[in-house]
Amino acid sequence: VQLQASGGGVVEVGDSLTLSCVIYGEIGYAVGWFRRAPGAEREFVIAYNRNGDGIYYAHDLEGRFTISRHIAKNMVYLRMNNLKPEDTGVYYCAAAGSRGGGMEEDDYEYWGRGTQVTVSS
């Protein structure tokens, strides 16, 4: 299984950006996004639950960030609206595999390389 995130870049405060993640292999429904801000630990952003019928949100991101997927294309997307400087970081897509998914790093078995998002003020 391999995951590859893309779509990062430099944007301005208030802009929107959509990240994409292509998934190679069978990984089930539990996929999501994490991010790592400069000098910080990697943190949960958003993810589908193991059944694919529910979404976990990081509390302070709900309403600005959304997740979607195109199952036939094996793609998962992260739409980020009204971006703020504190959204700057490396964004990672992750697939739970046999671990079931959730809001913790250990809930995910497969990780893609990150894509850098920089929000300039």
Side-chain angles (χ1 to χ4, degrees):
V1 174
Q2 291 187 352
L3 295 86
Q4 185 173 330
S6 63
V10 179
V11 296
E12 295 184 352
V13 171
D15 282 353
S16 297
L17 190 66
T18 298
L19 305 182
S20 301
C21 177
V22 58
I23 302 166
Y24 300 99
E26 295 296 326
I27 49 85
Y29 292 108
V31 294
W33 294 89
F34 286 71
R35 68 183 183 184
R36 187 195 307 271
E41 298 292 320
R42 188 158 56 185
E43 64 177 359
F44 173 78
V45 175
I46 194 169
Y48 284 103
N49 66 5
R50 67 170 63 202
N51 297 321
D53 58 2
I55 295 173
Y56 301 112
Y57 289 91
H59 177 70
D60 56 345
L61 298 179
E62 189 170 0
R64 290 198 301 124
F65 287 23
T66 56
I67 189 172
S68 61
R69 67 194 306 166
H70 193 303
I71 294 175
K73 294 184 178 180
N74 272 3
M75 298 287 296
V76 178
Y77 306 97
L78 174 63
R79 175 69 174 179
M80 305 180 290
N81 295 320
N82 190 24
L83 282 161
K84 304 176 181 181
E86 54 263 40
D87 296 319
T88 293
V90 179
Y91 284 71
Y92 302 87
C93 56
S98 62
R99 299 189 187 182
M103 299 174 70
E104 304 293 333
E105 287 192 56
D106 288 345
D107 296 329
Y108 294 84
E109 185 173 1
Y110 304 104
W111 294 84
R113 292 184 180 180
T115 184
Q116 175 72 45
V117 174
T118 302
V119 184
S120 63
S121 56

